[in-house]
PDB file of all heavy atoms in Angstrom:
ATOM      1  N   GLU N 140     -43.634 -32.244 -33.667  1.00  0.00           N
ATOM      2  CA  GLU N 140     -44.950 -32.710 -34.130  1.00  0.00           C
ATOM      3  C   GLU N 140     -46.019 -32.493 -33.046  1.00  0.00           C
ATOM      4  O   GLU N 140     -47.094 -31.950 -33.316  1.00  0.00           O
ATOM      5  CB  GLU N 140     -44.854 -34.201 -34.490  1.00  0.00           C
ATOM      6  CG  GLU N 140     -46.088 -34.746 -35.175  1.00  0.00           C
ATOM      7  CD  GLU N 140     -45.917 -36.208 -35.551  1.00  0.00           C
ATOM      8  OE1 GLU N 140     -45.241 -36.952 -34.802  1.00  0.00           O
ATOM      9  OE2 GLU N 140     -46.435 -36.603 -36.605  1.00  0.00           O
ATOM     10  N   VAL N 141     -45.703 -32.904 -31.821  1.00  0.00           N
ATOM     11  CA  VAL N 141     -46.667 -32.743 -30.728  1.00  0.00           C
ATOM     12  C   VAL N 141     -46.913 -31.255 -30.451  1.00  0.00           C
ATOM     13  O   VAL N 141     -48.056 -30.814 -30.308  1.00  0.00           O
ATOM     14  CB  VAL N 141     -46.169 -33.467 -29.446  1.00  0.00           C
ATOM     15  CG1 VAL N 141     -47.019 -33.103 -28.251  1.00  0.00           C
ATOM     16  CG2 VAL N 141     -46.185 -34.980 -29.653  1.00  0.00           C
ATOM     17  N   LEU N 142     -45.822 -30.483 -30.420  1.00  0.00           N
ATOM     18  CA  LEU N 142     -45.982 -29.060 -30.095  1.00  0.00           C
ATOM     19  C   LEU N 142     -46.711 -28.288 -31.193  1.00  0.00           C
ATOM     20  O   LEU N 142     -47.384 -27.300 -30.918  1.00  0.00           O
ATOM     21  CB  LEU N 142     -44.616 -28.430 -29.810  1.00  0.00           C
ATOM     22  CG  LEU N 142     -43.981 -28.860 -28.483  1.00  0.00           C
ATOM     23  CD1 LEU N 142     -42.548 -28.362 -28.381  1.00  0.00           C
ATOM     24  CD2 LEU N 142     -44.794 -28.358 -27.301  1.00  0.00           C
ATOM     25  N   SER N 143     -46.580 -28.768 -32.431  1.00  0.00           N
ATOM     26  CA  SER N 143     -47.239 -28.043 -33.529  1.00  0.00           C
ATOM     27  C   SER N 143     -48.759 -28.217 -33.492  1.00  0.00           C
ATOM     28  O   SER N 143     -49.483 -27.498 -34.174  1.00  0.00           O
ATOM     29  CB  SER N 143     -46.682 -28.486 -34.885  1.00  0.00           C
ATOM     30  OG  SER N 143     -47.071 -29.811 -35.146  1.00  0.00           O
ATOM     31  N   ASP N 144     -49.234 -29.165 -32.701  1.00  0.00           N
ATOM     32  CA  ASP N 144     -50.684 -29.349 -32.541  1.00  0.00           C
ATOM     33  C   ASP N 144     -51.294 -28.336 -31.594  1.00  0.00           C
ATOM     34  O   ASP N 144     -52.500 -28.148 -31.570  1.00  0.00           O
ATOM     35  CB  ASP N 144     -50.973 -30.753 -31.974  1.00  0.00           C
ATOM     36  CG  ASP N 144     -51.005 -31.792 -33.077  1.00  0.00           C
ATOM     37  OD1 ASP N 144     -51.287 -31.412 -34.220  1.00  0.00           O
ATOM     38  OD2 ASP N 144     -50.735 -32.967 -32.779  1.00  0.00           O
ATOM     39  N   LYS N 145     -50.446 -27.712 -30.784  1.00  0.00           N
ATOM     40  CA  LYS N 145     -50.960 -26.786 -29.767  1.00  0.00           C
ATOM     41  C   LYS N 145     -51.234 -25.417 -30.371  1.00  0.00           C
ATOM     42  O   LYS N 145     -50.387 -24.867 -31.069  1.00  0.00           O
ATOM     43  CB  LYS N 145     -49.942 -26.653 -28.630  1.00  0.00           C
ATOM     44  CG  LYS N 145     -49.749 -27.942 -27.889  1.00  0.00           C
ATOM     45  CD  LYS N 145     -48.852 -27.705 -26.685  1.00  0.00           C
ATOM     46  CE  LYS N 145     -48.879 -28.919 -25.791  1.00  0.00           C
ATOM     47  NZ  LYS N 145     -48.970 -28.596 -24.395  1.00  0.00           N
ATOM     48  N   LYS N 146     -52.411 -24.908 -30.064  1.00  0.00           N
ATOM     49  CA  LYS N 146     -52.775 -23.600 -30.617  1.00  0.00           C
ATOM     50  C   LYS N 146     -52.436 -22.469 -29.658  1.00  0.00           C
ATOM     51  O   LYS N 146     -52.479 -21.300 -30.022  1.00  0.00           O
ATOM     52  CB  LYS N 146     -54.261 -23.583 -30.937  1.00  0.00           C
ATOM     53  CG  LYS N 146     -54.592 -24.446 -32.139  1.00  0.00           C
ATOM     54  CD  LYS N 146     -56.024 -24.284 -32.561  1.00  0.00           C
ATOM     55  CE  LYS N 146     -56.281 -25.158 -33.786  1.00  0.00           C
ATOM     56  NZ  LYS N 146     -57.535 -25.811 -33.787  1.00  0.00           N
ATOM     57  N   LEU N 147     -52.158 -22.817 -28.417  1.00  0.00           N
ATOM     58  CA  LEU N 147     -51.852 -21.807 -27.405  1.00  0.00           C
ATOM     59  C   LEU N 147     -50.567 -22.199 -26.678  1.00  0.00           C
ATOM     60  O   LEU N 147     -50.155 -23.335 -26.745  1.00  0.00           O
ATOM     61  CB  LEU N 147     -53.005 -21.711 -26.396  1.00  0.00           C
ATOM     62  CG  LEU N 147     -54.370 -21.283 -26.941  1.00  0.00           C
ATOM     63  CD1 LEU N 147     -55.463 -21.568 -25.925  1.00  0.00           C
ATOM     64  CD2 LEU N 147     -54.371 -19.810 -27.312  1.00  0.00           C
ATOM     65  N   GLY N 148     -49.990 -21.226 -26.009  1.00  0.00           N
ATOM     66  CA  GLY N 148     -48.791 -21.531 -25.218  1.00  0.00           C
ATOM     67  C   GLY N 148     -47.556 -20.839 -25.774  1.00  0.00           C
ATOM     68  O   GLY N 148     -47.597 -20.213 -26.836  1.00  0.00           O
ATOM     69  N   ILE N 149     -46.469 -20.968 -25.042  1.00  0.00           N
ATOM     70  CA  ILE N 149     -45.237 -20.250 -25.389  1.00  0.00           C
ATOM     71  C   ILE N 149     -44.702 -20.654 -26.764  1.00  0.00           C
ATOM     72  O   ILE N 149     -44.347 -19.796 -27.577  1.00  0.00           O
ATOM     73  CB  ILE N 149     -44.170 -20.482 -24.285  1.00  0.00           C
ATOM     74  CG1 ILE N 149     -44.612 -19.758 -23.003  1.00  0.00           C
ATOM     75  CG2 ILE N 149     -42.791 -20.005 -24.732  1.00  0.00           C
ATOM     76  CD1 ILE N 149     -43.696 -19.911 -21.814  1.00  0.00           C
ATOM     77  N   VAL N 150     -44.683 -21.958 -27.041  1.00  0.00           N
ATOM     78  CA  VAL N 150     -44.142 -22.403 -28.336  1.00  0.00           C
ATOM     79  C   VAL N 150     -45.014 -21.908 -29.489  1.00  0.00           C
ATOM     80  O   VAL N 150     -44.508 -21.402 -30.498  1.00  0.00           O
ATOM     81  CB  VAL N 150     -43.991 -23.943 -28.368  1.00  0.00           C
ATOM     82  CG1 VAL N 150     -43.695 -24.442 -29.762  1.00  0.00           C
ATOM     83  CG2 VAL N 150     -42.885 -24.378 -27.412  1.00  0.00           C
ATOM     84  N   SER N 151     -46.317 -22.010 -29.300  1.00  0.00           N
ATOM     85  CA  SER N 151     -47.222 -21.553 -30.344  1.00  0.00           C
ATOM     86  C   SER N 151     -47.022 -20.049 -30.619  1.00  0.00           C
ATOM     87  O   SER N 151     -47.002 -19.603 -31.771  1.00  0.00           O
ATOM     88  CB  SER N 151     -48.654 -21.872 -29.906  1.00  0.00           C
ATOM     89  OG  SER N 151     -49.553 -20.948 -30.411  1.00  0.00           O
ATOM     90  N   ARG N 152     -46.837 -19.293 -29.545  1.00  0.00           N
ATOM     91  CA  ARG N 152     -46.612 -17.842 -29.724  1.00  0.00           C
ATOM     92  C   ARG N 152     -45.242 -17.558 -30.352  1.00  0.00           C
ATOM     93  O   ARG N 152     -45.091 -16.637 -31.141  1.00  0.00           O
ATOM     94  CB  ARG N 152     -46.752 -17.119 -28.378  1.00  0.00           C
ATOM     95  CG  ARG N 152     -48.179 -17.128 -27.837  1.00  0.00           C
ATOM     96  CD  ARG N 152     -48.358 -16.151 -26.694  1.00  0.00           C
ATOM     97  NE  ARG N 152     -47.764 -16.588 -25.461  1.00  0.00           N
ATOM     98  CZ  ARG N 152     -48.353 -17.394 -24.566  1.00  0.00           C
ATOM     99  NH1 ARG N 152     -49.560 -17.846 -24.796  1.00  0.00           N
ATOM    100  NH2 ARG N 152     -47.742 -17.726 -23.446  1.00  0.00           N
ATOM    101  N   ALA N 153     -44.247 -18.388 -29.989  1.00  0.00           N
ATOM    102  CA  ALA N 153     -42.915 -18.210 -30.592  1.00  0.00           C
ATOM    103  C   ALA N 153     -42.968 -18.517 -32.090  1.00  0.00           C
ATOM    104  O   ALA N 153     -42.357 -17.814 -32.903  1.00  0.00           O
ATOM    105  CB  ALA N 153     -41.898 -19.105 -29.889  1.00  0.00           C
ATOM    106  N   PHE N 154     -43.718 -19.546 -32.463  1.00  0.00           N
ATOM    107  CA  PHE N 154     -43.892 -19.868 -33.892  1.00  0.00           C
ATOM    108  C   PHE N 154     -44.541 -18.690 -34.615  1.00  0.00           C
ATOM    109  O   PHE N 154     -44.170 -18.355 -35.738  1.00  0.00           O
ATOM    110  CB  PHE N 154     -44.759 -21.123 -34.067  1.00  0.00           C
ATOM    111  CG  PHE N 154     -44.037 -22.431 -33.798  1.00  0.00           C
ATOM    112  CD1 PHE N 154     -44.729 -23.632 -33.750  1.00  0.00           C
ATOM    113  CD2 PHE N 154     -42.662 -22.468 -33.611  1.00  0.00           C
ATOM    114  CE1 PHE N 154     -44.073 -24.849 -33.515  1.00  0.00           C
ATOM    115  CE2 PHE N 154     -41.997 -23.671 -33.371  1.00  0.00           C
ATOM    116  CZ  PHE N 154     -42.710 -24.862 -33.317  1.00  0.00           C
ATOM    117  N   GLU N 155     -45.496 -18.072 -33.936  1.00  0.00           N
ATOM    118  CA  GLU N 155     -46.188 -16.918 -34.529  1.00  0.00           C
ATOM    119  C   GLU N 155     -45.202 -15.768 -34.762  1.00  0.00           C
ATOM    120  O   GLU N 155     -45.230 -15.132 -35.816  1.00  0.00           O
ATOM    121  CB  GLU N 155     -47.292 -16.479 -33.566  1.00  0.00           C
ATOM    122  CG  GLU N 155     -48.485 -15.854 -34.250  1.00  0.00           C
ATOM    123  CD  GLU N 155     -49.534 -15.468 -33.224  1.00  0.00           C
ATOM    124  OE1 GLU N 155     -49.994 -16.365 -32.483  1.00  0.00           O
ATOM    125  OE2 GLU N 155     -49.866 -14.263 -33.155  1.00  0.00           O
ATOM    126  N   VAL N 156     -44.326 -15.544 -33.780  1.00  0.00           N
ATOM    127  CA  VAL N 156     -43.304 -14.494 -33.925  1.00  0.00           C
ATOM    128  C   VAL N 156     -42.433 -14.778 -35.147  1.00  0.00           C
ATOM    129  O   VAL N 156     -42.063 -13.874 -35.897  1.00  0.00           O
ATOM    130  CB  VAL N 156     -42.417 -14.411 -32.641  1.00  0.00           C
ATOM    131  CG1 VAL N 156     -41.193 -13.545 -32.866  1.00  0.00           C
ATOM    132  CG2 VAL N 156     -43.227 -13.904 -31.453  1.00  0.00           C
ATOM    133  N   LEU N 157     -42.144 -16.064 -35.375  1.00  0.00           N
ATOM    134  CA  LEU N 157     -41.293 -16.458 -36.509  1.00  0.00           C
ATOM    135  C   LEU N 157     -42.065 -16.487 -37.829  1.00  0.00           C
ATOM    136  O   LEU N 157     -41.492 -16.774 -38.875  1.00  0.00           O
ATOM    137  CB  LEU N 157     -40.693 -17.849 -36.244  1.00  0.00           C
ATOM    138  CG  LEU N 157     -39.648 -17.926 -35.130  1.00  0.00           C
ATOM    139  CD1 LEU N 157     -39.431 -19.370 -34.700  1.00  0.00           C
ATOM    140  CD2 LEU N 157     -38.329 -17.311 -35.578  1.00  0.00           C
ATOM    141  N   GLY N 158     -43.346 -16.237 -37.750  1.00  0.00           N
ATOM    142  CA  GLY N 158     -44.178 -16.251 -38.958  1.00  0.00           C
ATOM    143  C   GLY N 158     -44.489 -17.666 -39.440  1.00  0.00           C
ATOM    144  O   GLY N 158     -44.768 -17.874 -40.623  1.00  0.00           O
ATOM    145  N   LEU N 159     -44.402 -18.638 -38.522  1.00  0.00           N
ATOM    146  CA  LEU N 159     -44.664 -20.027 -38.913  1.00  0.00           C
ATOM    147  C   LEU N 159     -46.092 -20.401 -38.534  1.00  0.00           C
ATOM    148  O   LEU N 159     -46.476 -20.269 -37.380  1.00  0.00           O
ATOM    149  CB  LEU N 159     -43.712 -20.982 -38.171  1.00  0.00           C
ATOM    150  CG  LEU N 159     -42.220 -20.785 -38.368  1.00  0.00           C
ATOM    151  CD1 LEU N 159     -41.445 -21.733 -37.457  1.00  0.00           C
ATOM    152  CD2 LEU N 159     -41.837 -21.031 -39.824  1.00  0.00           C
ATOM    153  N   ASP N 160     -46.859 -20.867 -39.524  1.00  0.00           N
ATOM    154  CA  ASP N 160     -48.196 -21.326 -39.162  1.00  0.00           C
ATOM    155  C   ASP N 160     -48.142 -22.825 -38.883  1.00  0.00           C
ATOM    156  O   ASP N 160     -47.211 -23.513 -39.299  1.00  0.00           O
ATOM    157  CB  ASP N 160     -49.218 -20.984 -40.255  1.00  0.00           C
ATOM    158  CG  ASP N 160     -48.863 -21.628 -41.564  1.00  0.00           C
ATOM    159  OD1 ASP N 160     -49.240 -22.793 -41.768  1.00  0.00           O
ATOM    160  OD2 ASP N 160     -48.173 -20.981 -42.375  1.00  0.00           O
ATOM    161  N   GLN N 161     -49.150 -23.295 -38.166  1.00  0.00           N
ATOM    162  CA  GLN N 161     -49.190 -24.704 -37.755  1.00  0.00           C
ATOM    163  C   GLN N 161     -48.989 -25.659 -38.919  1.00  0.00           C
ATOM    164  O   GLN N 161     -48.246 -26.623 -38.819  1.00  0.00           O
ATOM    165  CB  GLN N 161     -50.557 -24.991 -37.122  1.00  0.00           C
ATOM    166  CG  GLN N 161     -50.594 -24.797 -35.629  1.00  0.00           C
ATOM    167  CD  GLN N 161     -51.922 -25.286 -35.088  1.00  0.00           C
ATOM    168  OE1 GLN N 161     -52.968 -24.970 -35.628  1.00  0.00           O
ATOM    169  NE2 GLN N 161     -51.879 -26.042 -34.016  1.00  0.00           N
ATOM    170  N   GLN N 162     -49.670 -25.355 -40.042  1.00  0.00           N
ATOM    171  CA  GLN N 162     -49.629 -26.279 -41.167  1.00  0.00           C
ATOM    172  C   GLN N 162     -48.234 -26.395 -41.767  1.00  0.00           C
ATOM    173  O   GLN N 162     -47.785 -27.497 -42.096  1.00  0.00           O
ATOM    174  CB  GLN N 162     -50.652 -25.851 -42.243  1.00  0.00           C
ATOM    175  CG  GLN N 162     -50.981 -26.937 -43.244  1.00  0.00           C
ATOM    176  CD  GLN N 162     -51.359 -28.267 -42.575  1.00  0.00           C
ATOM    177  OE1 GLN N 162     -52.221 -28.307 -41.700  1.00  0.00           O
ATOM    178  NE2 GLN N 162     -50.701 -29.361 -42.965  1.00  0.00           N
TER     179      GLN N 162
END
Side-chain angles (χ1 to χ4, degrees):
Chain N
E140 189 178 34
V141 170
L142 288 171
S143 69
D144 276 335
K145 295 186 169 223
K146 289 188 179 140
L147 298 166
I149 291 179
V150 169
S151 149
R152 292 193 286 275
F154 283 172
E155 210 179 302
V156 168
L157 291 164
L159 301 175
D160 60 86
Q161 268 188 313
Q162 197 50 52

